[in-house]
Amino acid sequence: MKESVMDCKRHFSSWKIEDVVSSRNKLYRLANVVRWSEFEKAFFSAWADDNVVERLPIRLMAGLLMVKHMRRMTDEGLLCQFVENPYIQYFCGKEYFTVEEPCDVTELTDFRHSIGEQGLNMIAEEIFRVSDIFED
């Protein structure tokens, strides 16, 4: 009997990412040295919005932008890769594997707009710092 799409989603969403990825992977290692708390402090007031009931986590949004720039992807390509790649999900702070896109393109645009040029520069500086640590 064929599994339904919902059954597949339930099955995959029970996978704890850390149990199925290699700690030798570059994104896995980078996830553990990025200064996520600095992004939280710097972006919290800009990303918080009284008109939006619940914003997506800063770790997720900053992580997505970092991967996008490190891998030279479009927003759309990034979201497709997120669904397929547990390492990207782990890097972005997800605990369990998901087959759902984390957001839509407009939310990435909103995040970039909210953090402004200063926030984007902060992300670029962190990419440079961590890339230097794990030079291949």
Side-chain angles (χ1 to χ4, degrees):
M1 179 195 266
K2 271 187 157 178
E3 282 187 287
S4 72
V5 172
M6 289 305 293
D7 289 337
C8 287
K9 286 180 180 181
R10 262 189 246 104
H11 173 73
F12 286 124
S13 67
S14 67
W15 291 3
K16 190 166 184 176
I17 294 174
E18 206 159 15
D19 294 341
V20 296
V21 296
S22 169
S23 61
R24 294 185 306 264
N25 177 273
K26 186 174 182 175
L27 277 178
Y28 181 94
R29 293 182 295 141
L30 288 174
N32 295 302
V33 297
V34 168
R35 296 180 234 179
W36 300 112
S37 62
E38 296 298 316
F39 292 144
E40 292 285 338
K41 284 187 266 184
F43 302 157
F44 180 77
S45 62
W47 187 228
D49 184 341
D50 294 337
N51 297 325
V52 177
V53 175
E54 188 175 327
R55 288 284 196 180
L56 292 168
I58 290 170
R59 162 83 184 259
L60 171 67
M61 301 306 286
L64 287 169
L65 291 184
M66 290 181 78
V67 171
K68 172 190 164 79
H69 292 288
M70 289 187 291
R71 301 258 175 107
R72 295 176 174 91
M73 299 174 157
T74 64
D75 287 352
E76 294 83 359
L78 169 65
L79 296 177
C80 287
Q81 283 298 303
F82 180 92
V83 170
E84 297 175 1
N85 191 322
Y87 292 101
I88 294 174
Q89 292 185 28
Y90 179 81
F91 182 79
C92 293
K94 299 302 274 182
E95 187 176 357
Y96 291 93
F97 186 76
T98 181
V99 294
E100 302 287 334
E101 289 185 352
C103 63
D104 60 39
V105 174
T106 60
E107 288 169 300
L108 285 171
T109 302
D110 289 347
F111 184 71
R112 278 191 293 267
H113 179 74
S114 294
I115 65 173
E117 188 175 335
Q118 186 175 357
L120 293 172
N121 287 338
M122 185 178 176
I123 288 173
E125 289 168 10
E126 187 67 358
I127 291 169
F128 180 76
R129 185 186 76 80
V130 297
S131 296
D132 196 43
I133 293 170
F134 294 105
E135 213 35 54
D136 285 339

